[in-house]
Amino acid sequence: MKDPETGKRVSRLNDEADWIVLEVPELRIIDQELWDQAKARQGAIKHRSKDKEDVGFWDRRRPRYLFSGLINCGVCGGGAATWNRNVIGCINRRNKGTCDNALTIKREGLEALVLDGLEKHLMDPEHTKIFCEHYTKT
């Protein structure tokens, strides 16, 4: 349709009564059960933060790296953070100076060590179950 004042075309939705909706299950990429599970998880993530119903995009950010938020200092128990682009170290040492742990580790090396340990030492189903329970708690 055209706007009578400007003469420009204006797009408008058709009435819902005029819509033609067809189910075409053969064009699905995934099955309905998996789709429903994914949507349920998205909904749970969306509403998890701060017990708000309308959570903004930035409150739902995912961790940037594999072990973000899961690494702690072995000396003071404080969190570990990125010191520069590739190196992780104790955040209390860096920001407050309250920890004596001056050790740092490259992120790639840490991820490789942990994943190698998981692959070689946690292949026992009971150990894997314990690890998964602990991982999902944190």
Side-chain angles (χ1 to χ4, degrees):
M1 300 185 74
K2 288 190 177 186
D3 185 341
E5 294 178 10
T6 62
K8 292 185 178 183
R9 291 180 52 184
V10 179
S11 65
R12 294 191 178 125
L13 289 176
N14 294 332
D15 291 332
E16 285 190 44
D18 296 335
W19 291 5
I20 300 172
V21 179
L22 298 173
E23 290 287 328
V24 189
E26 62 271 10
L27 296 179
R28 289 186 178 174
I29 297 171
I30 60 172
D31 62 6
Q32 187 64 38
E33 182 182 344
L34 182 58
W35 176 263
D36 293 338
Q37 289 174 357
K39 287 300 174 183
R41 182 174 169 115
Q42 285 176 342
I45 291 171
K46 181 177 183 181
H47 296 290
R48 185 184 315 164
S49 179
K50 301 177 188 173
D51 297 327
K52 293 181 183 178
E53 287 188 25
D54 186 24
V55 179
F57 171 76
W58 293 108
D59 292 332
R60 294 191 312 259
R61 281 187 300 185
R62 307 304 191 279
R64 178 175 285 187
Y65 301 105
L66 183 60
F67 298 113
S68 292
L70 299 174
I71 306 166
N72 293 325
C73 175
V75 175
C76 71
T82 304
W83 283 44
N84 62 32
R85 189 174 186 188
N86 298 329
V87 177
I88 298 171
C90 177
I91 195 69
N92 289 335
R93 168 138 180 124
R94 181 171 186 186
N95 292 345
K96 300 176 186 177
T98 58
C99 181
D100 295 330
N101 186 4
L103 298 175
T104 59
I105 188 169
K106 289 189 176 185
R107 178 182 317 284
E108 295 83 15
L110 173 68
E111 290 174 354
L113 283 171
V114 172
L115 292 174
D116 184 57
L118 290 174
E119 182 181 23
K120 291 187 176 155
H121 302 292
L122 280 182
M123 292 308 291
D124 179 36
E126 185 61 33
H127 292 150
T128 303
K129 180 180 175 186
I130 293 169
F131 171 78
C132 290
E133 288 172 1
H134 182 70
Y135 182 81
T136 54
K137 283 181 190 177
T138 41

